[in-house]
Each structure stands twice: as C-alpha cells, then as structure tokens.
Amino acid sequence: MNEQLAKYFSGECTKDEIKQVNSWRSESFDNSKEFNEAKNIWVSLQEAPEPDNRILDGILGEADAKVIKISRGWNWTRYAAAAVVILGLVFSIRLSLSGDDSIQKLADGSEIVLHGESSINSVSITDNIREVRLTGKAYFDIERDESRPFIIITENARIEVLGTSFVIDASTDKTEVSVESGLVALVKPGKSGKTDLTVKLSVGEVGTVDNASPGIFKKNNNNPNYLAWKTKTLTFERSKMSDVELILEDVYGIDIEFENENLRNCKLTAKFKERRAKDAIEIIARTFNLTFDMKNEKVILKGKGC
C-alpha cells in the first residue's frame, strides 16, 4: 500500500486506483490513521527537500541509516514510491523475524526483545508519545519518560507505561502481560461507544485480555519460566511433562512428540541454564530412562517412563 499511497499523493493514480485507496482508507480506523500519517509525512517532505542523514542515524542506528542516503534534487513524481518506502523505514520501523530472537534498540533508549517470528510495526517516537504495534511475543524494557507515555497496541488490547519492564504475549484472540518491574496499565478498548476497561498491573502480576471474556483477568505470576525464551534458564519443580513439552517448544523452537502418551504424566524436577536443546532432551531422557530421536527440529521421546 505504501507505493500506491505515494502515487495517490503525487497525482499519478488512475481512477480505479483512487477508488481502491479510498475504499481501503474507509475499511477501518487503523487504515484511516495510516493514510493520514502518510499524508502528513508526504506534505512535510515536500517542504523539506533534503532530510538530514544525521537524523536518520539517530532514528535507525548507524548501520541501518547507511542503507538510506537521501540526496538532493529528488523528482517527487518519478521517485514517489521510493520516498514513501524510505518514510516507512524512518517513521514506521518494521521488524519481521524468523527463528532467532532479535534485540531492537529504540531512539529513546528503550529495548525490545522479539521472540521467534514476532513482529513490530508502526514505531512512532515523537515529542509527545511513543507507540508501537506488536504481533506475537516480546520483552520490553522501557526508558522512563513521564512526559511521553509508551504505548503498545495489540490486536485486542492497549498497554500503557511510563517506564518499566514486562513481557507481552499477543495473539489474535488474547493478550497476556507479565510485569517484571514498575507499573503497567492494561486496557481493553470499549466497543460500540462503551468506556475502555483498564487494570493496573504491578511487579509479579499477569493481566489477560481475552475476546472470549468480557473483562480483564488479573492474577499473580506463578510461572518461573515466563522469561525462559529470553534468558534460556528453565526451572521445573515436579512439573508434568505435558507442561515441560510446551516450554521446551517455546524456548527452543522444536516439536516434541511422545511415543507413549503416558509419558506426559511424568513429573520432572530440573534446572537448565543456557543449555542447548539436545542437552536438555538428553538429561530428560536419562531422568526417565528413555531414548529419543532428534532430527532437525523434531524430537520423539520413546520408552515406558515413570
């Protein structure tokens, strides 16, 4: 859509393309917001023919900024699409990760660690607000700034903080927030004119917004492994193997199967610190006198077990 918006603002769209843009714009509030943001950026670029590359360095980091060097004398009609692509990188940083976790440093000093194939879109750091949109799971360590709240938007919730650290696990239907430090406001947006519902979460608490429930569920965090995917430290205290399976799959990105379904009821007490997936599987196999087959990212545990 970036390229089509560029053509729209530069007057190059056909009648059909104009209809497509207007139709897309009216489909949702987010689309309308994206349109207006793109328009504002486009207008500002018309007034500022040569953005300072030092500013790019500050927003993107030196390595990323080297890729984007804007020179004098742009022909805005001819290079419209390229301009919007650059704007998208500057004002709406998109991270699309596969496999390894990725650490992203923002211009305000905040740090985000993305898990697996999670992604962040629409990073807006202005004089008044800091805002990102999250899909998937991420750890946030937010630099405190009382004049600018930090807002994370998920599919069905909004998280607002001034400066704190926490984990968000967001899917299409559910958003879960686990607070490591500070105070977090978890907001469930109201529908059809209804008032937003807000719950404050403090250290050691978990809040959940679920489309299947009308409110926000709040509880103490009794899961010692909620950060295991980031720290690579796993702790099990008489944990059922059915639960261990899920944690190992989340941390290591592997698929575990039990040849004997009764193995799921075995209880494991162990602690793994920065162990490889194969090392952890070998320890579990020895604990329950099992054998295993491990090929690529699939593991099959075999034996009678406990």
Side-chain angles (χ1 to χ4, degrees), residues 156-157 173-176 186-188 207-211 215-216:
N156 62 352
D173 300 320
K174 185 170 72 173
T175 296
E176 183 176 90
L186 176 58
V187 182
K188 184 173 186 177
T208 304
V209 171
D210 194 326
N211 288 348
I216 298 177

Side-chain angles (χ1 to χ4, degrees), residues 178-231:
S178 303
V179 182
E180 183 185 39
S181 68
L183 191 66
V184 174
L186 176 58
V187 182
K188 184 173 186 177
K191 295 182 179 180
S192 303
K194 292 184 178 180
T195 305
D196 293 350
L197 180 63
T198 303
V199 167
K200 296 291 181 67
L201 303 172
S202 56
V203 179
E205 293 183 329
V206 179
T208 304
V209 171
D210 194 326
N211 288 348
S213 303
I216 298 177
F217 183 66
K218 176 179 174 179
K219 66 177 182 179
N220 291 326
N221 189 356
N222 296 317
N223 179 10
N225 296 305
Y226 79 100
L227 262 179
W229 60 272
K230 175 179 177 288
T231 63

Side-chain angles (χ1 to χ4, degrees), residues 244-294:
V244 173
E245 170 192 7
L246 297 177
I247 294 169
L248 292 176
E249 289 179 339
D250 182 55
V251 172
Y252 296 117
I254 57 179
D255 180 26
I256 299 176
E257 294 183 5
F258 298 98
E259 189 177 65
N260 177 359
E261 287 297 311
N262 290 329
L263 289 174
R264 295 182 182 276
N265 296 318
C266 293
K267 295 183 178 180
L268 176 70
T269 297
K271 185 170 184 177
F272 306 131
K273 187 173 182 179
E274 297 182 354
R275 294 272 192 173
R276 297 179 306 166
K278 186 177 180 181
D279 294 337
I281 294 297
E282 285 180 345
I283 292 171
I284 291 172
R286 289 200 302 268
T287 299
F288 298 114
N289 194 26
L290 307 175
T291 60
F292 68 93
D293 291 332
M294 187 170 186

Side-chain angles (χ1 to χ4, degrees), residues 63 165 224 234 273:
S165 58
L234 294 74
K273 187 173 182 179

